[in-house]
């Protein structure tokens, strides 16, 4: 490909390129040089913003060199304005990107005004990106806050209709993404049998384990027009879960990582690098890379946690850690799994989930929020925090029916029947002393705690407690998957199963184990309202959106140790 040389005025880059050209400028070895080569580029992955504060916000894009072998530097100009016509530009600059950061651009735009709507775009020569929209956070006051919450977007399971619905049903101050933004699996392992028909095949087709693999998987997801649109409309505040790395990750390994896939530390580091390149997050690669807080005026503090990577001990497993006990059988002594002892171990063993550094940070964050008399304390995190063992289902299914279910479901139902419930050791029920420390922080510092949760692909709402009929410390709202299927996709009699949750757990206010969708949270001084939305399908671009449940959490409701999540669905 022929390359032209042009004179570049680094303060006036747009004026130096012929009208209609789609050229990228490669930065010179000496940044003061005035000569540069040019190559054609495209903006194939849209724009995004993230981590809004009162005076700054991250803006993001990626440039795609049309000459795919190109690996040099590219100068990308950016502009932020008060208006969509960019007649009133208030901040601008140039960002140099290259193959070492996968040609991504992430600029922290500072010096902005609080509570103000802005528009932004990127340019290479006279090639423009689409225009993004973003609003900074309010600096004071108690204006209502409106958040959208999403999680678990598995590409081969279907279209991202939930993202499209969020984009079209705002406005939102931010979109909280609670993890599983991508999935690491290979083609055919975890997806719809109709993936090829829908055009939802994976790139790369194998399980992703290297930096190049993770980058390609993010590129696939970010080429999706519905995901691009929700990123264009609203700033994201993100936390990772396990599938940004590998299924059931922890600090030193993962369930879905084996020795023949290389060193876990290397895989974790390269997955982290790709995440930081492709996600609009403001982070330093420190001990707690995605742990950070946000203040919404004088109304709410949001603390984003990491329950997967930085401080988590390996979760105990029924198939690996249950000890055998000797019992008398019809033919003499025999061995039987001691599930009661395993549950006792989950209840009493002090195992790390957040890690000491993150626990200290959380306590300081909650203490500061309380000292400033901020009424709402919100935790954005990955796994179910409240006490939520799976209930016995013998009143729902016969033994013959259960025998035909997947092995994991059979085990869950057997243990639940034997012990009156089945703990999920991957959730906070598997780290109960760590949960007790967080609840102690709530009791000491917080006013009205709300925990927002992803991971399960189901919609849940419950009062925060660590035992049946125990004290309530706040409310937990867990979001269904954008496309990933819930328990109700594996089992029949969905309504009967959901009724079993209500019967078994009297702090449960909402259980939806089937629908895909998203959630919103509207916060005022008086209350917080969680609304759960379901899309009618993820296998067609044509879909209906339904409000399934609205629940109201009144400020101060937990002062007596009990919180009632009021059903106001009919009023919404």
């Amino acid at each position: 490909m022929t390359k032209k040389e042009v004179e570049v005025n680094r303060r006036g880059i747009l004026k130096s390129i012929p009208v209609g050209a789609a050229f990228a400028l490669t930065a010179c070895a000496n940044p003061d040089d005035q000569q540069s080569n040019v190559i054609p580029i495209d903006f194939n992955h849209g724009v995004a913003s993230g981590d809004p504060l009162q005076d700054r916000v991250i803006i993001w894009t990626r440039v795609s060199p049309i000459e795919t072998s190109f690996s040099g530097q590219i100068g990308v100009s950016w502009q932020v304005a008060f208006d969509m016509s960019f007649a009133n530009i208030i901040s601008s600059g140039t960002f140099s990107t290259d193959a070492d950061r996968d040609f991504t651009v992430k600029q922290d735009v500072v010096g902005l005004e609080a509570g103000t709507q802005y528009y932004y775009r990127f340019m290479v020569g006279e090639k423009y990106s689409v225009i993004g929209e973003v609003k900074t956070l309010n600096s004071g006051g108690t204006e209502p806050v409106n958040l959208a919450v999403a999680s678990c977007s598995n590409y081969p399971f279907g279209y991202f209709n939930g993202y499209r619905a969020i984009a079209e049903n705002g406005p939102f101050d931010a979109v909280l993404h609670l993890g599983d933004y991508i999935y690491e699996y290979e083609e055919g392992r975890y997806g719809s049998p109709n993936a090829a028909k829908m055009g939802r095949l994976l790139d790369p087709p194998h399980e992703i384990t290297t930096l190049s693999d993770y980058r390609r998987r993010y590129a696939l997801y970010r080429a999706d027009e519905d995901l691009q649109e929700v990123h264009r409309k609203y700033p994201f505040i993100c936390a990772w879960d396990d599938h940004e790395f590998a299924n059931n990750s922890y600090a030193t390994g993962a369930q879905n990582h084996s020795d023949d896939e290389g060193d876990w530390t290397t895989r974790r580091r390269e997955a982290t690098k790709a995440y930081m390149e492709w996600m609009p997050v403001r982070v330093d690669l420190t001990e707690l890379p995605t742990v950070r807080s946000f203040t919404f005026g004088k109304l709410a503090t949001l603390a984003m946690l990491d329950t997967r990577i930085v401080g988590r001990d390996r979760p105990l497993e029924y198939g690996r850690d249950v000890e055998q006990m000797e019992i008398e059988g019809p033919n003499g002594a025999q061995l039987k799994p001691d599930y009661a002892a395993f549950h006792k171990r989950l209840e009493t063993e002090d195992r790390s989930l957040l890690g000491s550094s993150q626990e200290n940070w959380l306590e300081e964050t909650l203490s500061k929020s309380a000292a400033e008399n901020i009424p709402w304390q919100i935790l954005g995190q990955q796994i179910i925090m409240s006490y939520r063992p799976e209930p016995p289902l013998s009143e729902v299914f016969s033994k013959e029916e259960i025998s035909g279910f997947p092995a994991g479901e059979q085990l869950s139902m057997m243990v639940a029947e034997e012990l009156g419930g089945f703990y999920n050791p991957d959730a906070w029920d598997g780290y109960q002393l760590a949960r007790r420390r967080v609840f102690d922080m709530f009791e000491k510092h917080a006013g009205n705690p709300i925990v927002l949760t992803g991971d399960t692909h189901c919609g849940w709402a419950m009062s925060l407690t660590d035992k049946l009929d125990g004290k309530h410390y706040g409310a937990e709202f867990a979001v269904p998957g954008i496309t990933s299927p819930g328990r109700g996709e594996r089992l029949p009699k969905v309504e009967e199963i959901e009724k079993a949750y209500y019967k078994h757990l009297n702090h449960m206010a909402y259980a939806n184990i089937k629908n895909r969708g998203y959630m919103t949270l509207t916060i005022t001084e008086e209350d917080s309202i969680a609304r759960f939305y379901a899309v009618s399908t993820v296998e067609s671009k044509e879909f209906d959106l339904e409000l399934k449940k609205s629940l109201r959490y009144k400020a101060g409701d937990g002062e007596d140790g009990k919180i009632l999540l009021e059903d106001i669905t009919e009023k919404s």
Side-chain angles (χ1 to χ4, degrees):
M1 178 175 296
T2 303
K3 298 181 179 179
K4 299 181 179 179
E5 291 189 351
V6 298
E7 290 291 328
V8 178
N9 182 329
R10 297 177 69 244
R11 295 182 179 272
I13 191 170
L14 292 180
K15 298 178 180 179
S16 66
I17 303 297
V19 174
F23 289 141
L25 301 176
T26 63
C28 304
N30 181 347
D32 293 327
D33 286 349
Q34 295 296 303
Q35 297 294 322
S36 177
N37 293 326
V38 292
I39 64 165
I41 66 96
D42 280 320
F43 290 102
N44 291 332
H45 299 97
V47 300
S49 65
D51 282 6
L53 298 178
Q54 285 74 19
D55 66 343
R56 64 193 61 199
V57 68
I58 296 289
I59 59 173
W60 178 99
T61 194
R62 181 179 187 266
V63 294
S64 300
I66 292 176
E67 186 180 301
T68 56
S69 62
F70 179 78
S71 60
Q73 291 184 314
I74 299 175
V76 183
S77 293
W78 55 268
Q79 296 173 334
V80 177
F82 286 125
D83 58 306
M84 289 191 71
S85 66
F86 288 81
N88 191 359
I89 296 173
I90 57 93
S91 188
S92 63
T94 302
F95 189 100
S96 183
T97 186
D98 56 26
D100 187 57
R101 54 181 301 121
D102 204 17
F103 295 104
T104 59
V105 175
K106 187 158 61 171
Q107 176 69 41
D108 200 354
V109 183
V110 300
L112 303 179
E113 298 178 15
T116 302
Q117 179 73 39
Y118 292 100
Y119 301 89
Y120 64 95
R121 66 184 179 184
F122 300 88
M123 303 82 66
V124 176
E126 300 222 358
K127 182 79 170 183
Y128 287 79
S129 72
V130 297
I131 297 171
E133 306 174 32
V134 66
K135 185 179 179 181
T136 51
L137 302 186
N138 292 325
S139 60
T142 55
E143 293 87 351
V145 173
N146 199 25
L147 304 173
V149 187
S151 182
C152 303
S153 47
N154 188 309
Y155 189 88
F157 265 115
Y159 300 115
F160 291 158
N161 293 337
Y163 287 145
R164 172 63 61 174
I166 294 173
E168 294 178 348
N169 289 279
F172 298 107
D173 295 280
V175 176
L176 270 58
H177 200 289
L178 301 178
D180 292 347
Y181 186 94
I182 64 168
Y183 281 72
E184 85 281 13
Y185 293 127
E186 67 270 25
E187 188 68 63
R189 179 171 178 184
Y190 187 56
S192 167
N194 300 318
K197 182 179 178 181
M198 292 185 289
R200 306 294 281 186
L201 295 179
L202 291 174
D203 180 52
H206 53 265
E207 181 180 332
I208 55 176
T209 60
T210 68
L211 176 59
S212 175
D213 289 344
Y214 284 103
R215 284 170 166 174
R216 286 172 61 184
R217 191 62 57 86
Y218 279 106
L220 173 71
Y221 275 62
R222 292 294 280 275
D224 182 274
E225 61 183 11
D226 298 317
L227 182 51
Q228 284 192 21
E229 180 62 8
V230 72
H231 270 300
R232 188 191 71 80
K233 287 289 292 292
Y234 302 114
F236 270 51
I237 298 175
C238 301
W240 56 38
D241 197 7
D242 53 340
H243 289 289
E244 287 87 349
F245 299 86
N247 184 50
N248 285 4
S249 302
Y250 48 96
T252 58
Q255 175 271 329
N256 189 34
H257 179 80
S258 55
D259 291 341
D260 62 1
E261 292 176 312
D263 175 62
W264 168 252
T265 301
T266 300
R267 182 177 184 178
R268 170 180 159 175
R269 181 176 62 248
E270 295 192 344
T272 298
K273 178 173 171 56
Y275 183 92
M276 297 307 172
E277 290 170 347
W278 280 85
M279 301 299 286
V281 292
R282 178 187 295 104
V283 291
D284 296 316
L285 293 181
T286 59
E287 181 183 4
L288 303 172
T290 60
V291 174
R292 62 223 192 272
S293 65
F294 302 83
T295 302
F296 294 85
K298 296 295 183 182
L299 191 62
T301 298
L302 169 64
M304 298 297 285
L305 303 184
D306 178 352
T307 62
R308 283 292 182 190
I309 297 298
V310 301
R312 183 184 179 109
D313 289 338
R314 179 182 70 83
L316 298 180
E317 302 172 46
Y318 283 90
R320 179 175 176 179
D321 298 298
V322 174
E323 297 181 353
Q324 302 291 310
M325 64 178 178
E326 190 174 282
I327 61 171
E328 284 297 321
N331 299 316
Q334 61 185 56
L335 294 177
K336 176 183 181 296
D338 192 347
Y339 294 116
F342 181 73
H343 273 207
K344 191 68 175 178
R345 186 178 176 187
L346 296 177
E347 293 168 352
T348 59
E349 186 174 291
D350 192 359
R351 307 176 65 255
S352 174
L353 184 60
L354 299 180
S356 58
S357 295
Q358 188 174 187
E359 285 190 10
N360 292 338
W361 174 88
L362 178 59
E363 174 123 35
E364 293 170 0
T365 301
L366 293 175
S367 176
K368 183 175 184 292
S369 182
E372 295 176 356
N373 295 315
I374 294 175
W376 297 98
Q377 290 73 38
I378 305 168
L379 270 57
Q381 54 100 57
Q382 296 74 29
I383 55 176
I384 295 290
M385 181 178 286
S386 191
Y387 175 82
R388 198 203 61 87
E390 301 293 346
L393 295 177
S394 58
E395 296 181 8
V396 177
F397 299 113
S398 67
K399 290 183 179 179
E400 290 74 22
E401 287 175 312
I402 293 173
S403 67
F405 294 155
E409 291 289 358
Q410 292 188 46
L411 175 64
S412 167
M413 294 178 194
M414 179 188 69
V415 174
E417 199 64 34
E418 178 181 329
L419 302 179
F422 174 89
Y423 283 142
N424 176 7
D426 188 54
W428 286 82
D429 275 342
Y431 299 82
Q432 296 194 27
L433 295 189
R435 176 172 63 194
R436 167 45 48 195
R437 289 192 291 273
V438 173
F439 284 0
D440 287 345
M441 294 179 204
F442 286 161
E443 193 163 30
K444 181 179 179 182
H445 300 299
N448 301 280
I450 296 175
V451 173
L452 301 177
T453 300
D455 186 59
T456 68
H457 314 165
C458 299
W460 308 102
M462 63 200 99
S463 302
L464 276 173
T465 187
D466 56 3
K467 60 184 177 181
L468 199 61
D469 298 319
K471 180 177 178 177
H472 296 173
Y473 295 90
E476 180 168 19
F477 302 115
V479 66
I482 289 290
T483 58
S484 300
R487 193 182 190 192
E489 291 291 324
R490 301 189 298 271
L491 298 174
K493 301 183 181 179
V494 169
E495 291 186 7
E496 290 90 337
I497 296 172
E498 291 171 351
K499 289 177 181 177
Y501 283 106
Y502 296 130
K503 180 179 179 180
H504 187 63
L505 302 170
N506 57 16
H507 58 284
M508 178 77 69
Y510 180 56
N512 184 331
I513 65 171
K514 184 70 177 284
N515 293 123
R516 274 92 155 193
Y518 67 98
M519 184 178 73
T520 66
L521 184 68
T522 303
I523 309 163
T524 69
E525 285 187 274
E526 295 76 26
D527 57 30
S528 289
I529 298 175
R531 296 180 175 90
F532 294 82
Y533 292 89
V535 297
S536 57
T537 182
V538 295
E539 296 207 347
S540 170
K541 285 282 192 176
E542 300 296 323
F543 67 95
D544 295 320
L545 185 67
E546 180 184 1
L547 173 64
K548 302 295 290 188
K549 184 69 69 173
S550 293
L551 295 167
R552 183 186 187 200
Y553 173 17
K554 295 181 181 178
D557 189 37
E559 291 180 0
D560 62 353
K562 296 294 178 184
I563 291 173
L564 173 66
L565 298 179
E566 179 187 359
D567 188 346
I568 59 168
T569 309
E570 297 301 321
K571 302 176 184 178
S572 296

